[in-house]
PDB file of all heavy atoms in Angstrom:
ATOM      1  N   LEU G  34     -17.431   3.348 -11.259  1.00 97.00           N
ATOM      2  CA  LEU G  34     -17.095   2.724 -12.544  1.00 97.00           C
ATOM      3  C   LEU G  34     -17.284   1.213 -12.465  1.00 97.00           C
ATOM      4  O   LEU G  34     -17.038   0.602 -11.424  1.00 97.00           O
ATOM      5  CB  LEU G  34     -15.646   3.041 -12.913  1.00 97.00           C
ATOM      6  CG  LEU G  34     -15.261   4.522 -12.982  1.00 97.00           C
ATOM      7  CD1 LEU G  34     -13.782   4.656 -13.359  1.00 97.00           C
ATOM      8  CD2 LEU G  34     -16.134   5.273 -13.969  1.00 97.00           C
ATOM      9  N   ASN G  35     -17.702   0.622 -13.590  1.00 96.00           N
ATOM     10  CA  ASN G  35     -17.762  -0.833 -13.620  1.00 96.00           C
ATOM     11  C   ASN G  35     -16.372  -1.396 -13.885  1.00 96.00           C
ATOM     12  O   ASN G  35     -15.411  -0.650 -14.137  1.00 96.00           O
ATOM     13  CB  ASN G  35     -18.781  -1.325 -14.664  1.00 96.00           C
ATOM     14  CG  ASN G  35     -18.435  -0.852 -16.072  1.00 96.00           C
ATOM     15  OD1 ASN G  35     -17.269  -0.795 -16.462  1.00 96.00           O
ATOM     16  ND2 ASN G  35     -19.467  -0.506 -16.861  1.00 96.00           N
ATOM     17  N   ASP G  36     -16.232  -2.705 -13.842  1.00 97.00           N
ATOM     18  CA  ASP G  36     -14.916  -3.334 -13.974  1.00 97.00           C
ATOM     19  C   ASP G  36     -14.254  -3.018 -15.311  1.00 97.00           C
ATOM     20  O   ASP G  36     -13.042  -2.778 -15.370  1.00 97.00           O
ATOM     21  CB  ASP G  36     -15.039  -4.852 -13.801  1.00 97.00           C
ATOM     22  CG  ASP G  36     -15.288  -5.251 -12.359  1.00 97.00           C
ATOM     23  OD1 ASP G  36     -15.128  -4.373 -11.470  1.00 97.00           O
ATOM     24  OD2 ASP G  36     -15.634  -6.419 -12.114  1.00 97.00           O
ATOM     25  N   ALA G  37     -15.041  -3.006 -16.371  1.00 97.00           N
ATOM     26  CA  ALA G  37     -14.469  -2.744 -17.695  1.00 97.00           C
ATOM     27  C   ALA G  37     -13.930  -1.319 -17.772  1.00 97.00           C
ATOM     28  O   ALA G  37     -12.828  -1.080 -18.284  1.00 97.00           O
ATOM     29  CB  ALA G  37     -15.528  -2.977 -18.773  1.00 97.00           C
ATOM     30  N   GLU G  38     -14.696  -0.367 -17.265  1.00 97.00           N
ATOM     31  CA  GLU G  38     -14.271   1.033 -17.282  1.00 97.00           C
ATOM     32  C   GLU G  38     -13.028   1.231 -16.412  1.00 97.00           C
ATOM     33  O   GLU G  38     -12.098   1.946 -16.776  1.00 97.00           O
ATOM     34  CB  GLU G  38     -15.399   1.931 -16.788  1.00 97.00           C
ATOM     35  CG  GLU G  38     -16.609   1.970 -17.727  1.00 97.00           C
ATOM     36  CD  GLU G  38     -17.816   2.639 -17.094  1.00 97.00           C
ATOM     37  OE1 GLU G  38     -17.954   2.562 -15.848  1.00 97.00           O
ATOM     38  OE2 GLU G  38     -18.620   3.239 -17.833  1.00 97.00           O
ATOM     39  N   TYR G  39     -13.022   0.583 -15.268  1.00 97.00           N
ATOM     40  CA  TYR G  39     -11.899   0.722 -14.333  1.00 97.00           C
ATOM     41  C   TYR G  39     -10.628   0.107 -14.915  1.00 97.00           C
ATOM     42  O   TYR G  39      -9.538   0.684 -14.825  1.00 97.00           O
ATOM     43  CB  TYR G  39     -12.265   0.049 -13.015  1.00 97.00           C
ATOM     44  CG  TYR G  39     -11.275   0.257 -11.900  1.00 97.00           C
ATOM     45  CD1 TYR G  39     -11.158   1.495 -11.261  1.00 97.00           C
ATOM     46  CD2 TYR G  39     -10.467  -0.781 -11.454  1.00 97.00           C
ATOM     47  CE1 TYR G  39     -10.261   1.692 -10.221  1.00 97.00           C
ATOM     48  CE2 TYR G  39      -9.565  -0.606 -10.412  1.00 97.00           C
ATOM     49  CZ  TYR G  39      -9.470   0.634  -9.804  1.00 97.00           C
ATOM     50  OH  TYR G  39      -8.575   0.816  -8.776  1.00 97.00           O
ATOM     51  N   SER G  40     -10.766  -1.061 -15.546  1.00 96.00           N
ATOM     52  CA  SER G  40      -9.602  -1.754 -16.109  1.00 96.00           C
ATOM     53  C   SER G  40      -9.025  -1.029 -17.318  1.00 96.00           C
ATOM     54  O   SER G  40      -7.821  -1.123 -17.594  1.00 96.00           O
ATOM     55  CB  SER G  40      -9.990  -3.192 -16.511  1.00 96.00           C
ATOM     56  OG  SER G  40     -10.416  -3.925 -15.394  1.00 96.00           O
ATOM     57  N   SER G  41      -9.855  -0.316 -18.050  1.00 97.00           N
ATOM     58  CA  SER G  41      -9.400   0.353 -19.264  1.00 97.00           C
ATOM     59  C   SER G  41      -8.631   1.647 -18.977  1.00 97.00           C
ATOM     60  O   SER G  41      -8.028   2.223 -19.883  1.00 97.00           O
ATOM     61  CB  SER G  41     -10.588   0.663 -20.176  1.00 97.00           C
ATOM     62  OG  SER G  41     -11.450   1.618 -19.564  1.00 97.00           O
ATOM     63  N   MET G  42      -8.631   2.095 -17.730  1.00 97.00           N
ATOM     64  CA  MET G  42      -7.943   3.344 -17.380  1.00 97.00           C
ATOM     65  C   MET G  42      -6.431   3.140 -17.372  1.00 97.00           C
ATOM     66  O   MET G  42      -5.929   2.037 -17.108  1.00 97.00           O
ATOM     67  CB  MET G  42      -8.397   3.840 -15.983  1.00 97.00           C
ATOM     68  CG  MET G  42      -9.879   4.087 -15.863  1.00 97.00           C
ATOM     69  SD  MET G  42     -10.361   4.549 -14.163  1.00 97.00           S
ATOM     70  CE  MET G  42      -9.892   6.278 -14.153  1.00 97.00           C
ATOM     71  N   THR G  43      -5.702   4.204 -17.665  1.00 97.00           N
ATOM     72  CA  THR G  43      -4.251   4.150 -17.516  1.00 97.00           C
ATOM     73  C   THR G  43      -3.910   4.092 -16.033  1.00 97.00           C
ATOM     74  O   THR G  43      -4.730   4.405 -15.169  1.00 97.00           O
ATOM     75  CB  THR G  43      -3.595   5.390 -18.137  1.00 97.00           C
ATOM     76  OG1 THR G  43      -4.008   6.557 -17.402  1.00 97.00           O
ATOM     77  CG2 THR G  43      -3.990   5.549 -19.600  1.00 97.00           C
ATOM     78  N   ASP G  44      -2.681   3.687 -15.729  1.00 95.00           N
ATOM     79  CA  ASP G  44      -2.274   3.607 -14.327  1.00 95.00           C
ATOM     80  C   ASP G  44      -2.398   4.959 -13.636  1.00 95.00           C
ATOM     81  O   ASP G  44      -2.839   5.052 -12.491  1.00 95.00           O
ATOM     82  CB  ASP G  44      -0.826   3.101 -14.224  1.00 95.00           C
ATOM     83  CG  ASP G  44      -0.693   1.642 -14.629  1.00 95.00           C
ATOM     84  OD1 ASP G  44      -1.729   0.948 -14.675  1.00 95.00           O
ATOM     85  OD2 ASP G  44       0.445   1.197 -14.890  1.00 95.00           O
ATOM     86  N   THR G  45      -2.033   6.010 -14.360  1.00 96.00           N
ATOM     87  CA  THR G  45      -2.105   7.359 -13.778  1.00 96.00           C
ATOM     88  C   THR G  45      -3.544   7.766 -13.526  1.00 96.00           C
ATOM     89  O   THR G  45      -3.871   8.310 -12.462  1.00 96.00           O
ATOM     90  CB  THR G  45      -1.434   8.376 -14.719  1.00 96.00           C
ATOM     91  OG1 THR G  45      -0.055   8.018 -14.898  1.00 96.00           O
ATOM     92  CG2 THR G  45      -1.514   9.776 -14.136  1.00 96.00           C
ATOM     93  N   ALA G  46      -4.407   7.508 -14.486  1.00 97.00           N
ATOM     94  CA  ALA G  46      -5.820   7.870 -14.344  1.00 97.00           C
ATOM     95  C   ALA G  46      -6.473   7.058 -13.228  1.00 97.00           C
ATOM     96  O   ALA G  46      -7.286   7.587 -12.454  1.00 97.00           O
ATOM     97  CB  ALA G  46      -6.560   7.653 -15.655  1.00 97.00           C
ATOM     98  N   ARG G  47      -6.109   5.768 -13.133  1.00 96.00           N
ATOM     99  CA  ARG G  47      -6.691   4.921 -12.086  1.00 96.00           C
ATOM    100  C   ARG G  47      -6.244   5.383 -10.706  1.00 96.00           C
ATOM    101  O   ARG G  47      -7.039   5.433  -9.764  1.00 96.00           O
ATOM    102  CB  ARG G  47      -6.295   3.467 -12.304  1.00 96.00           C
ATOM    103  CG  ARG G  47      -7.039   2.480 -11.388  1.00 96.00           C
ATOM    104  CD  ARG G  47      -6.628   1.042 -11.650  1.00 96.00           C
ATOM    105  NE  ARG G  47      -6.820   0.688 -13.040  1.00 96.00           N
ATOM    106  CZ  ARG G  47      -5.829   0.420 -13.879  1.00 96.00           C
ATOM    107  NH1 ARG G  47      -4.566   0.512 -13.479  1.00 96.00           N
ATOM    108  NH2 ARG G  47      -6.088   0.095 -15.129  1.00 96.00           N
ATOM    109  N   ALA G  48      -4.979   5.758 -10.587  1.00 95.00           N
ATOM    110  CA  ALA G  48      -4.470   6.244  -9.304  1.00 95.00           C
ATOM    111  C   ALA G  48      -5.177   7.535  -8.899  1.00 95.00           C
ATOM    112  O   ALA G  48      -5.510   7.743  -7.730  1.00 95.00           O
ATOM    113  CB  ALA G  48      -2.964   6.464  -9.379  1.00 95.00           C
ATOM    114  N   SER G  49      -5.415   8.413  -9.871  1.00 95.00           N
ATOM    115  CA  SER G  49      -6.104   9.668  -9.597  1.00 95.00           C
ATOM    116  C   SER G  49      -7.554   9.409  -9.176  1.00 95.00           C
ATOM    117  O   SER G  49      -8.072  10.047  -8.243  1.00 95.00           O
ATOM    118  CB  SER G  49      -6.073  10.560 -10.836  1.00 95.00           C
ATOM    119  OG  SER G  49      -6.790  11.753 -10.614  1.00 95.00           O
ATOM    120  N   TYR G  50      -8.195   8.473  -9.863  1.00 97.00           N
ATOM    121  CA  TYR G  50      -9.574   8.123  -9.541  1.00 97.00           C
ATOM    122  C   TYR G  50      -9.673   7.533  -8.133  1.00 97.00           C
ATOM    123  O   TYR G  50     -10.548   7.919  -7.337  1.00 97.00           O
ATOM    124  CB  TYR G  50     -10.103   7.133 -10.578  1.00 97.00           C
ATOM    125  CG  TYR G  50     -11.451   6.542 -10.243  1.00 97.00           C
ATOM    126  CD1 TYR G  50     -12.601   7.315 -10.295  1.00 97.00           C
ATOM    127  CD2 TYR G  50     -11.563   5.195  -9.885  1.00 97.00           C
ATOM    128  CE1 TYR G  50     -13.846   6.772  -9.989  1.00 97.00           C
ATOM    129  CE2 TYR G  50     -12.797   4.647  -9.580  1.00 97.00           C
ATOM    130  CZ  TYR G  50     -13.928   5.437  -9.628  1.00 97.00           C
ATOM    131  OH  TYR G  50     -15.158   4.895  -9.319  1.00 97.00           O
ATOM    132  N   ASP G  51      -8.762   6.607  -7.821  1.00 96.00           N
ATOM    133  CA  ASP G  51      -8.777   5.995  -6.495  1.00 96.00           C
ATOM    134  C   ASP G  51      -8.497   7.029  -5.407  1.00 96.00           C
ATOM    135  O   ASP G  51      -9.089   6.985  -4.326  1.00 96.00           O
ATOM    136  CB  ASP G  51      -7.747   4.870  -6.417  1.00 96.00           C
ATOM    137  CG  ASP G  51      -8.179   3.625  -7.182  1.00 96.00           C
ATOM    138  OD1 ASP G  51      -9.380   3.525  -7.498  1.00 96.00           O
ATOM    139  OD2 ASP G  51      -7.320   2.762  -7.456  1.00 96.00           O
ATOM    140  N   ARG G  52      -7.602   7.960  -5.695  1.00 95.00           N
ATOM    141  CA  ARG G  52      -7.327   9.002  -4.710  1.00 95.00           C
ATOM    142  C   ARG G  52      -8.565   9.860  -4.462  1.00 95.00           C
ATOM    143  O   ARG G  52      -8.855  10.236  -3.320  1.00 95.00           O
ATOM    144  CB  ARG G  52      -6.164   9.885  -5.166  1.00 95.00           C
ATOM    145  CG  ARG G  52      -5.832  10.972  -4.142  1.00 95.00           C
ATOM    146  CD  ARG G  52      -4.718  11.887  -4.573  1.00 95.00           C
ATOM    147  NE  ARG G  52      -4.539  12.934  -3.582  1.00 95.00           N
ATOM    148  CZ  ARG G  52      -3.818  12.834  -2.470  1.00 95.00           C
ATOM    149  NH1 ARG G  52      -3.160  11.710  -2.223  1.00 95.00           N
ATOM    150  NH2 ARG G  52      -3.721  13.833  -1.619  1.00 95.00           N
ATOM    151  N   SER G  53      -9.304  10.160  -5.513  1.00 95.00           N
ATOM    152  CA  SER G  53     -10.519  10.961  -5.339  1.00 95.00           C
ATOM    153  C   SER G  53     -11.526  10.220  -4.470  1.00 95.00           C
ATOM    154  O   SER G  53     -12.249  10.841  -3.669  1.00 95.00           O
ATOM    155  CB  SER G  53     -11.138  11.301  -6.700  1.00 95.00           C
ATOM    156  OG  SER G  53     -11.701  10.160  -7.326  1.00 95.00           O
ATOM    157  N   ARG G  54     -11.559   8.894  -4.581  1.00 97.00           N
ATOM    158  CA  ARG G  54     -12.466   8.111  -3.731  1.00 97.00           C
ATOM    159  C   ARG G  54     -11.994   8.111  -2.278  1.00 97.00           C
ATOM    160  O   ARG G  54     -12.814   8.173  -1.355  1.00 97.00           O
ATOM    161  CB  ARG G  54     -12.572   6.677  -4.253  1.00 97.00           C
ATOM    162  CG  ARG G  54     -13.294   6.566  -5.588  1.00 97.00           C
ATOM    163  CD  ARG G  54     -13.706   5.137  -5.860  1.00 97.00           C
ATOM    164  NE  ARG G  54     -12.577   4.275  -6.167  1.00 97.00           N
ATOM    165  CZ  ARG G  54     -12.588   2.955  -6.024  1.00 97.00           C
ATOM    166  NH1 ARG G  54     -13.663   2.338  -5.531  1.00 97.00           N
ATOM    167  NH2 ARG G  54     -11.520   2.227  -6.354  1.00 97.00           N
ATOM    168  N   VAL G  55     -10.683   8.067  -2.079  1.00 96.00           N
ATOM    169  CA  VAL G  55     -10.145   8.097  -0.718  1.00 96.00           C
ATOM    170  C   VAL G  55     -10.407   9.452  -0.071  1.00 96.00           C
ATOM    171  O   VAL G  55     -10.811   9.537   1.097  1.00 96.00           O
ATOM    172  CB  VAL G  55      -8.639   7.783  -0.730  1.00 96.00           C
ATOM    173  CG1 VAL G  55      -8.018   8.053   0.636  1.00 96.00           C
ATOM    174  CG2 VAL G  55      -8.399   6.335  -1.133  1.00 96.00           C
ATOM    175  N   VAL G  56     -10.188  10.535  -0.823  1.00 93.00           N
ATOM    176  CA  VAL G  56     -10.415  11.882  -0.291  1.00 93.00           C
ATOM    177  C   VAL G  56     -11.879  12.051   0.101  1.00 93.00           C
ATOM    178  O   VAL G  56     -12.202  12.581   1.166  1.00 93.00           O
ATOM    179  CB  VAL G  56     -10.000  12.955  -1.316  1.00 93.00           C
ATOM    180  CG1 VAL G  56     -10.464  14.340  -0.866  1.00 93.00           C
ATOM    181  CG2 VAL G  56      -8.489  12.942  -1.510  1.00 93.00           C
ATOM    182  N   TYR G  57     -12.781  11.585  -0.756  1.00 95.00           N
ATOM    183  CA  TYR G  57     -14.206  11.668  -0.448  1.00 95.00           C
ATOM    184  C   TYR G  57     -14.546  10.846   0.789  1.00 95.00           C
ATOM    185  O   TYR G  57     -15.280  11.302   1.685  1.00 95.00           O
ATOM    186  CB  TYR G  57     -15.030  11.186  -1.643  1.00 95.00           C
ATOM    187  CG  TYR G  57     -16.480  10.953  -1.309  1.00 95.00           C
ATOM    188  CD1 TYR G  57     -17.363  12.023  -1.170  1.00 95.00           C
ATOM    189  CD2 TYR G  57     -16.970   9.661  -1.112  1.00 95.00           C
ATOM    190  CE1 TYR G  57     -18.690  11.808  -0.844  1.00 95.00           C
ATOM    191  CE2 TYR G  57     -18.298   9.442  -0.793  1.00 95.00           C
ATOM    192  CZ  TYR G  57     -19.153  10.512  -0.651  1.00 95.00           C
ATOM    193  OH  TYR G  57     -20.461  10.301  -0.324  1.00 95.00           O
TER     194      TYR G  57
END
Side-chain angles (χ1 to χ4, degrees):
L34 304 180
N35 60 38
D36 287 348
E38 293 169 330
Y39 187 73
S40 299
S41 66
M42 302 176 79
T43 65
D44 291 343
T45 300
R47 189 179 304 113
S49 177
Y50 172 71
D51 286 344
R52 181 182 176 84
S53 70
R54 291 196 289 158
V55 170
V56 170
Y57 167 77

